[in-house]
Amino acid sequence: MSRDMPNLDPDSFQLPDTERLALPGEPDHPPRVLMLYGSLRGRSYSRFLTHEARRVLEAMGAEVRVFDPSGLPLVSDDADQHPKVLKLRELSLWSEAQVWCSPERHGAMTGVMKTQIDWLPLAPIGGVRPTQGRTLALMQVSGGSQSFNTLNQMRVLGRWMRMITIPNQSSVPRAFAEFDEEGRMKPSAFYNRMVDVMEELMKFTLLTRGRSAYLVDRYSERVESAEELSKRVNQRSI
């Protein structure tokens, strides 16, 4: 086991078994994971937790990209070509799985977190929806006692964005006491739960990524597409 993750028990840590999860002929490249965090503070516990989870995902064989939200503009009509917006959308299209990690502020996710999600449209970009069918894992950090408000909000958003949101989740209370001066997470049940969540994300991603297009194929959209096609044909014939 890597010395960079001393909290992991090498006898208990397992790599995902693709032979038990994926069918022959399905994608065999490393799962592509985009990670978003919801704070711009210098000592950001959501960023610390995100990078701890990144290390675990990489140890499991994932290819990971962490988006830095600094400089991302608020949603507006004249900012959709901003370099940060384009980069975020590019990474979302690239991803097969995502991890959202936000602090809880005033009983809710932060504006930084919500802005990132708001810049990911439900409508297709170049014919591809940037979130639909992707697996999603959720984490939150709190300054006080255990809470799940932010997780519950993000779970609603994940469902709205047509993502396969995994059942497990991570909530780290009193986050200031769970990380050392270098921003590394201390050994704890909270650390173990984070590993659980990343392990589950990897399994769900391997299980669904090769068939996600089929899983989210919808009757109502097929009917709508047929109707739109009929309208266009009829208009040309007039």
Coordinates of all heavy atoms in Angstrom, one line a residue, residues 62-132:
A62 N -8.7 4.5 -10.8 CA -9.4 5.5 -11.5 C -8.5 6.6 -12.1 O -7.4 6.9 -11.6 CB -10.5 6.1 -10.6
E63 N -8.9 7.2 -13.2 CA -8.3 8.4 -13.7 C -9.1 9.6 -13.2 O -10.3 9.7 -13.4 CB -8.3 8.4 -15.2 CG -7.6 9.6 -15.8 CD -7.5 9.6 -17.3 OE1 -8.0 8.6 -17.9 OE2 -7.0 10.6 -17.9
V64 N -8.5 10.5 -12.4 CA -9.3 11.5 -11.7 C -8.8 12.9 -12.1 O -7.7 13.2 -12.3 CB -9.0 11.4 -10.1 CG1 -9.9 12.4 -9.4 CG2 -9.3 9.9 -9.7
R65 N -9.8 13.8 -12.2 CA -9.6 15.2 -12.4 C -10.4 16.0 -11.3 O -11.5 15.8 -11.1 CB -10.1 15.7 -13.8 CG -9.4 15.0 -15.0 CD -8.0 15.5 -15.2 NE -7.4 14.9 -16.3 CZ -6.7 13.7 -16.3 NH1 -6.6 13.1 -15.2 NH2 -6.2 13.3 -17.4
V66 N -9.7 16.9 -10.6 CA -10.3 17.7 -9.6 C -10.4 19.1 -10.2 O -9.4 19.8 -10.6 CB -9.5 17.8 -8.3 CG1 -10.1 18.7 -7.3 CG2 -9.3 16.3 -7.8
F67 N -11.6 19.7 -10.2 CA -11.9 21.0 -10.8 C -11.7 22.0 -9.7 O -12.2 21.9 -8.6 CB -13.3 21.1 -11.3 CG -13.6 22.4 -11.9 CD1 -13.1 22.8 -13.1 CD2 -14.4 23.3 -11.2 CE1 -13.4 24.1 -13.7 CE2 -14.7 24.6 -11.8 CZ -14.2 25.0 -13.0
D68 N -10.9 23.1 -10.0 CA -10.6 24.2 -9.1 C -11.7 25.3 -9.4 O -11.6 25.9 -10.5 CB -9.2 24.7 -9.3 CG -8.9 26.0 -8.5 OD1 -9.8 26.4 -7.7 OD2 -7.8 26.5 -8.6
P69 N -12.6 25.6 -8.5 CA -13.7 26.5 -8.8 C -13.3 28.0 -8.7 O -14.1 28.8 -9.0 CB -14.7 26.1 -7.7 CG -13.9 25.7 -6.6 CD -12.8 24.9 -7.1
S70 N -12.1 28.3 -8.3 CA -11.7 29.7 -8.2 C -11.7 30.3 -9.5 O -11.2 29.8 -10.5 CB -10.3 29.8 -7.6 OG -9.3 29.1 -8.4
G71 N -12.3 31.5 -9.6 CA -12.5 32.2 -10.8 C -13.7 31.9 -11.7 O -13.9 32.5 -12.7
L72 N -14.5 30.9 -11.2 CA -15.7 30.5 -12.0 C -16.7 31.6 -11.8 O -17.1 31.9 -10.7 CB -16.2 29.2 -11.5 CG -17.4 28.6 -12.2 CD1 -17.1 28.2 -13.6 CD2 -18.0 27.4 -11.4
P73 N -17.2 32.2 -12.9 CA -18.2 33.3 -12.7 C -19.6 32.7 -12.3 O -19.9 31.6 -12.5 CB -18.3 33.9 -14.1 CG -17.9 32.7 -15.0 CD -16.9 31.9 -14.3
L74 N -20.4 33.7 -11.8 CA -21.8 33.3 -11.5 C -22.5 33.1 -12.8 O -22.1 33.6 -13.9 CB -22.5 34.4 -10.8 CG -22.0 34.7 -9.3 CD1 -22.7 35.9 -8.7 CD2 -22.2 33.5 -8.4
V75 N -23.6 32.3 -12.8 CA -24.3 32.0 -14.0 C -25.0 33.2 -14.6 O -25.7 33.9 -13.9 CB -25.4 30.9 -13.7 CG1 -26.2 30.6 -15.0 CG2 -24.7 29.6 -13.2
S76 N -24.7 33.5 -15.9 CA -25.3 34.6 -16.6 C -25.2 34.3 -18.1 O -24.4 33.4 -18.5 CB -24.5 35.9 -16.3 OG -23.2 35.9 -16.7
D77 N -26.0 35.0 -18.8 CA -26.0 34.8 -20.3 C -24.7 35.1 -21.0 O -24.4 34.6 -22.1 CB -27.2 35.6 -20.9 CG -28.5 35.1 -20.5 OD1 -28.6 33.9 -20.1 OD2 -29.5 35.9 -20.5
D78 N -24.0 36.1 -20.4 CA -22.8 36.5 -21.1 C -21.5 35.9 -20.6 O -20.4 36.3 -21.0 CB -22.7 38.1 -21.0 CG -22.6 38.5 -19.6 OD1 -22.7 37.7 -18.7 OD2 -22.4 39.7 -19.4
A79 N -21.6 34.8 -19.8 CA -20.4 34.2 -19.3 C -20.3 32.7 -19.7 O -19.3 32.0 -19.2 CB -20.4 34.3 -17.8
D80 N -21.1 32.2 -20.6 CA -21.1 30.8 -21.0 C -19.8 30.4 -21.8 O -19.6 29.2 -22.0 CB -22.3 30.4 -21.7 CG -22.6 31.1 -23.0 OD1 -21.9 32.1 -23.2 OD2 -23.4 30.6 -23.8
Q81 N -19.1 31.4 -22.3 CA -17.8 31.1 -23.0 C -16.6 31.4 -22.1 O -15.5 31.4 -22.7 CB -17.8 31.9 -24.3 CG -18.9 31.5 -25.3 CD -18.8 30.1 -25.7 OE1 -17.8 29.6 -26.1 NE2 -19.9 29.4 -25.5
H82 N -16.8 31.6 -20.9 CA -15.7 31.9 -19.9 C -14.8 30.6 -19.9 O -15.4 29.5 -19.9 CB -16.2 32.2 -18.6 CG -15.2 32.7 -17.6 ND1 -14.3 31.8 -17.0 CD2 -14.9 33.9 -17.1 CE1 -13.5 32.5 -16.2 NE2 -13.9 33.8 -16.2
P83 N -13.5 30.8 -19.9 CA -12.6 29.6 -19.9 C -12.9 28.6 -18.8 O -12.8 27.4 -19.0 CB -11.2 30.2 -19.7 CG -11.3 31.6 -20.3 CD -12.7 32.0 -20.0
K84 N -13.3 29.1 -17.6 CA -13.6 28.2 -16.5 C -14.9 27.4 -16.7 O -15.0 26.2 -16.4 CB -13.7 29.0 -15.2 CG -12.4 29.3 -14.5 CD -11.8 28.1 -13.8 CE -10.6 28.4 -13.0 NZ -10.2 27.2 -12.2
V85 N -15.8 28.0 -17.3 CA -17.1 27.4 -17.7 C -16.9 26.3 -18.7 O -17.3 25.1 -18.6 CB -18.1 28.4 -18.2 CG1 -19.4 27.6 -18.6 CG2 -18.5 29.4 -17.1
L86 N -16.1 26.6 -19.8 CA -15.8 25.7 -20.8 C -15.0 24.5 -20.3 O -15.3 23.3 -20.7 CB -15.0 26.4 -21.9 CG -15.7 27.5 -22.7 CD1 -14.8 28.1 -23.7 CD2 -17.0 26.9 -23.4
K87 N -14.1 24.8 -19.3 CA -13.3 23.7 -18.8 C -14.2 22.7 -17.9 O -14.0 21.5 -18.0 CB -12.2 24.2 -17.9 CG -11.2 23.2 -17.3 CD -10.5 22.4 -18.4 CE -9.5 21.4 -17.9 NZ -8.8 20.7 -18.9
L88 N -15.0 23.3 -17.1 CA -15.9 22.5 -16.3 C -16.8 21.6 -17.1 O -17.0 20.4 -16.9 CB -16.8 23.4 -15.4 CG -17.8 22.7 -14.5 CD1 -17.2 21.7 -13.6 CD2 -18.7 23.8 -13.8
R89 N -17.4 22.2 -18.2 CA -18.3 21.4 -19.1 C -17.5 20.3 -19.8 O -18.0 19.2 -20.0 CB -19.0 22.3 -20.0 CG -20.0 23.2 -19.3 CD -20.7 24.1 -20.3 NE -21.8 24.8 -19.6 CZ -22.6 25.7 -20.2 NH1 -22.5 25.9 -21.5 NH2 -23.6 26.3 -19.5
E90 N -16.3 20.6 -20.2 CA -15.4 19.7 -20.9 C -15.1 18.5 -20.0 O -15.2 17.3 -20.4 CB -14.1 20.3 -21.3 CG -13.1 19.4 -21.9 CD -11.7 20.1 -22.1 OE1 -11.7 21.3 -22.3 OE2 -10.7 19.4 -22.0
L91 N -14.8 18.8 -18.7 CA -14.5 17.7 -17.8 C -15.7 16.9 -17.5 O -15.6 15.6 -17.3 CB -13.9 18.3 -16.5 CG -12.5 18.9 -16.6 CD1 -12.2 19.6 -15.3 CD2 -11.5 17.7 -16.8
S92 N -16.9 17.5 -17.4 CA -18.1 16.7 -17.1 C -18.4 15.8 -18.3 O -18.8 14.7 -18.1 CB -19.3 17.7 -16.9 OG -20.4 17.0 -16.5
L93 N -18.2 16.3 -19.5 CA -18.5 15.4 -20.7 C -17.5 14.3 -20.7 O -17.8 13.1 -21.1 CB -18.3 16.2 -22.0 CG -19.5 17.2 -22.3 CD1 -19.1 18.2 -23.4 CD2 -20.7 16.5 -22.6
W94 N -16.2 14.5 -20.3 CA -15.2 13.5 -20.2 C -15.5 12.4 -19.2 O -15.2 11.3 -19.3 CB -13.8 14.2 -19.9 CG -12.7 13.3 -19.5 CD1 -11.9 12.6 -20.3 CD2 -12.3 13.0 -18.1 NE1 -11.0 11.9 -19.5 CE2 -11.2 12.1 -18.2 CE3 -12.8 13.4 -16.9 CZ2 -10.6 11.6 -17.0 CZ3 -12.2 12.9 -15.7 CH2 -11.1 12.0 -15.8
S95 N -16.1 12.8 -18.1 CA -16.3 12.0 -16.9 C -17.3 10.8 -17.2 O -18.2 10.9 -18.0 CB -16.7 12.8 -15.7 OG -18.1 13.2 -15.9
E96 N -17.1 9.8 -16.4 CA -18.0 8.7 -16.3 C -18.7 8.6 -14.9 O -19.7 8.0 -14.7 CB -17.4 7.3 -16.6 CG -16.8 7.2 -18.0 CD -15.9 6.1 -18.2 OE1 -15.2 5.7 -17.3 OE2 -15.9 5.5 -19.4
A97 N -18.0 9.3 -14.0 CA -18.5 9.4 -12.6 C -18.1 10.7 -12.0 O -17.1 11.4 -12.5 CB -17.8 8.3 -11.8
Q98 N -18.8 11.2 -11.0 CA -18.4 12.4 -10.4 C -18.5 12.3 -8.9 O -19.3 11.4 -8.3 CB -19.3 13.6 -10.9 CG -19.2 13.9 -12.3 CD -19.9 15.1 -12.8 OE1 -20.4 15.9 -12.0 NE2 -20.1 15.2 -14.1
V99 N -17.8 13.2 -8.2 CA -17.9 13.3 -6.7 C -18.1 14.7 -6.4 O -17.4 15.6 -6.8 CB -16.6 12.8 -6.0 CG1 -16.7 13.0 -4.5 CG2 -16.3 11.3 -6.4
W100 N -19.2 15.0 -5.6 CA -19.5 16.4 -5.2 C -19.2 16.5 -3.7 O -19.8 15.7 -2.9 CB -20.9 16.8 -5.5 CG -21.3 16.8 -7.0 CD1 -20.4 16.7 -8.0 CD2 -22.6 16.9 -7.5 NE1 -21.1 16.7 -9.2 CE2 -22.5 16.9 -8.9 CE3 -23.8 17.1 -6.9 CZ2 -23.6 17.0 -9.8 CZ3 -24.9 17.2 -7.8 CH2 -24.8 17.2 -9.2
C101 N -18.4 17.4 -3.3 CA -18.1 17.6 -1.8 C -18.3 19.1 -1.5 O -17.6 19.9 -2.0 CB -16.7 17.1 -1.6 SG -16.2 17.3 0.2
S102 N -19.2 19.3 -0.6 CA -19.5 20.7 -0.2 C -19.4 20.9 1.3 O -19.9 20.0 2.1 CB -20.8 21.2 -0.7 OG -21.1 22.5 -0.3
P103 N -19.0 22.0 1.8 CA -19.2 22.4 3.2 C -20.7 22.6 3.4 O -21.5 22.9 2.4 CB -18.4 23.7 3.4 CG -17.6 23.8 2.2 CD -18.2 23.1 1.1
E104 N -21.2 22.5 4.6 CA -22.5 23.0 5.0 C -22.4 24.4 5.6 O -21.7 24.6 6.5 CB -23.2 22.0 6.0 CG -24.6 22.5 6.3 CD -25.4 21.4 7.0 OE1 -25.4 20.3 6.5 OE2 -26.0 21.7 8.1
R105 N -23.1 25.3 4.9 CA -23.1 26.7 5.4 C -24.6 27.2 5.5 O -25.3 27.1 4.5 CB -22.3 27.6 4.4 CG -22.1 29.0 4.9 CD -21.1 29.7 4.0 NE -19.8 29.0 4.1 CZ -18.9 29.1 3.1 NH1 -19.1 29.8 2.1 NH2 -17.7 28.4 3.3
H106 N -25.0 27.6 6.7 CA -26.3 28.0 6.9 C -27.3 26.9 6.6 O -28.4 27.1 6.1 CB -26.7 29.3 6.2 CG -25.8 30.5 6.4 ND1 -25.4 30.9 7.7 CD2 -25.2 31.3 5.6 CE1 -24.7 31.9 7.7 NE2 -24.5 32.2 6.4
G107 N -26.9 25.7 6.9 CA -27.8 24.5 6.7 C -28.0 24.1 5.3 O -28.9 23.4 4.9
A108 N -27.0 24.6 4.4 CA -27.2 24.3 3.0 C -25.8 24.1 2.3 O -24.8 24.5 2.9 CB -28.0 25.3 2.3
M109 N -25.8 23.7 1.1 CA -24.6 23.7 0.3 C -24.1 25.1 0.0 O -24.9 26.1 0.1 CB -24.7 22.9 -1.0 CG -25.4 23.7 -2.1 SD -25.7 22.8 -3.6 CE -27.0 21.7 -3.1
T110 N -22.9 25.3 -0.3 CA -22.4 26.7 -0.5 C -22.7 27.1 -1.9 O -23.0 26.4 -2.8 CB -20.8 26.7 -0.4 OG1 -20.3 25.8 -1.4 CG2 -20.4 26.2 1.0
G111 N -22.7 28.5 -2.1 CA -22.9 29.1 -3.4 C -21.8 28.6 -4.4 O -22.2 28.4 -5.6
V112 N -20.6 28.4 -3.9 CA -19.6 27.9 -4.8 C -19.9 26.5 -5.4 O -19.8 26.3 -6.6 CB -18.2 27.8 -4.1 CG1 -17.2 27.1 -4.9 CG2 -17.8 29.2 -3.7
M113 N -20.5 25.7 -4.6 CA -20.9 24.3 -5.0 C -22.1 24.4 -6.0 O -22.1 23.8 -7.1 CB -21.3 23.5 -3.8 CG -21.5 22.0 -4.1 SD -19.9 21.1 -4.4 CE -20.2 20.4 -6.0
K114 N -23.1 25.2 -5.6 CA -24.3 25.3 -6.5 C -23.9 25.9 -7.8 O -24.5 25.5 -8.8 CB -25.3 26.1 -5.7 CG -26.7 26.2 -6.5 CD -27.3 24.9 -6.6 CE -28.8 25.0 -6.9 NZ -29.1 25.8 -8.1
T115 N -23.0 26.9 -7.8 CA -22.6 27.5 -9.1 C -22.0 26.5 -10.1 O -22.3 26.5 -11.3 CB -21.7 28.7 -8.8 OG1 -22.3 29.7 -8.1 CG2 -21.2 29.3 -10.2
Q116 N -21.2 25.7 -9.6 CA -20.6 24.6 -10.4 C -21.7 23.7 -11.0 O -21.6 23.4 -12.2 CB -19.6 23.8 -9.6 CG -18.4 24.6 -9.2 CD -17.4 23.8 -8.3 OE1 -16.6 23.0 -8.8 NE2 -17.6 23.9 -7.0
I117 N -22.6 23.3 -10.2 CA -23.7 22.5 -10.7 C -24.6 23.2 -11.7 O -25.0 22.7 -12.7 CB -24.5 21.9 -9.5 CG1 -23.6 21.1 -8.6 CG2 -25.7 21.1 -10.0 CD1 -24.2 20.7 -7.3
D118 N -24.8 24.5 -11.4 CA -25.7 25.3 -12.3 C -25.1 25.5 -13.6 O -25.8 25.7 -14.6 CB -26.0 26.6 -11.6 CG -27.0 26.5 -10.5 OD1 -27.6 25.5 -10.4 OD2 -27.1 27.5 -9.7
W119 N -23.8 25.5 -13.7 CA -23.1 25.6 -15.0 C -23.1 24.3 -15.9 O -22.7 24.3 -17.0 CB -21.7 26.1 -14.9 CG -21.5 27.6 -14.8 CD1 -20.9 28.3 -13.8 CD2 -21.9 28.5 -15.8 NE1 -21.0 29.7 -14.1 CE2 -21.5 29.8 -15.3 CE3 -22.5 28.4 -17.0 CZ2 -21.8 31.0 -16.0 CZ3 -22.7 29.6 -17.8 CH2 -22.4 30.9 -17.3
L120 N -23.6 23.3 -15.3 CA -23.7 22.0 -16.0 C -25.1 21.9 -16.6 O -26.0 21.5 -15.8 CB -23.3 20.8 -15.1 CG -21.9 20.8 -14.6 CD1 -21.7 19.6 -13.7 CD2 -20.9 20.7 -15.8
P121 N -25.3 22.1 -17.8 CA -26.7 22.1 -18.3 C -27.3 20.7 -18.4 O -26.5 19.7 -18.6 CB -26.6 22.7 -19.7 CG -25.2 22.4 -20.1 CD -24.4 22.4 -18.9
L122 N -28.6 20.6 -18.3 CA -29.2 19.3 -18.5 C -29.3 19.0 -20.0 O -29.3 17.8 -20.5 CB -30.6 19.3 -17.9 CG -31.4 18.0 -17.9 CD1 -30.6 16.9 -17.1 CD2 -32.8 18.2 -17.2
A123 N -29.4 20.1 -20.8 CA -29.5 19.9 -22.3 C -28.1 19.4 -22.9 O -27.1 19.6 -22.3 CB -29.8 21.2 -22.9
P124 N -28.2 18.7 -24.0 CA -26.9 18.2 -24.6 C -26.0 19.3 -25.0 O -26.4 20.4 -25.4 CB -27.5 17.4 -25.8 CG -28.9 17.2 -25.5 CD -29.4 18.3 -24.7
I125 N -24.7 19.0 -24.9 CA -23.6 19.8 -25.5 C -23.0 18.9 -26.6 O -22.4 17.9 -26.3 CB -22.6 20.1 -24.5 CG1 -23.2 21.0 -23.3 CG2 -21.4 20.9 -25.1 CD1 -22.2 21.3 -22.2
G126 N -23.1 19.4 -27.9 CA -22.6 18.6 -28.9 C -23.2 17.2 -29.0 O -22.6 16.2 -29.4
G127 N -24.5 17.1 -28.7 CA -25.3 15.9 -28.7 C -25.1 15.0 -27.5 O -25.7 13.9 -27.5
V128 N -24.3 15.4 -26.5 CA -24.1 14.6 -25.3 C -24.5 15.4 -24.1 O -24.1 16.5 -23.9 CB -22.7 14.2 -25.2 CG1 -22.4 13.3 -24.0 CG2 -22.2 13.4 -26.5
R129 N -25.3 14.8 -23.2 CA -25.7 15.4 -22.0 C -24.5 15.3 -21.0 O -24.0 14.2 -20.8 CB -26.9 14.8 -21.4 CG -28.2 14.9 -22.2 CD -29.4 14.3 -21.5 NE -30.5 14.2 -22.4 CZ -31.5 15.2 -22.5 NH1 -31.3 16.3 -21.8 NH2 -32.5 15.0 -23.3
P130 N -24.1 16.4 -20.4 CA -22.9 16.4 -19.5 C -23.0 15.7 -18.2 O -22.0 15.4 -17.5 CB -22.5 17.8 -19.4 CG -23.8 18.5 -19.5 CD -24.6 17.8 -20.5
T131 N -24.2 15.3 -17.8 CA -24.3 14.6 -16.5 C -25.1 13.3 -16.6 O -24.9 12.4 -15.8 CB -25.0 15.5 -15.4 OG1 -26.2 16.0 -15.9 CG2 -24.1 16.7 -15.1
Q132 N -26.0 13.2 -17.6 CA -26.9 12.1 -17.6 C -26.2 10.7 -17.7 O -25.3 10.5 -18.5 CB -27.9 12.2 -18.8 CG -28.8 11.0 -19.0 CD -29.9 11.3 -20.0 OE1 -30.8 12.1 -19.8 NE2 -29.8 10.7 -21.2

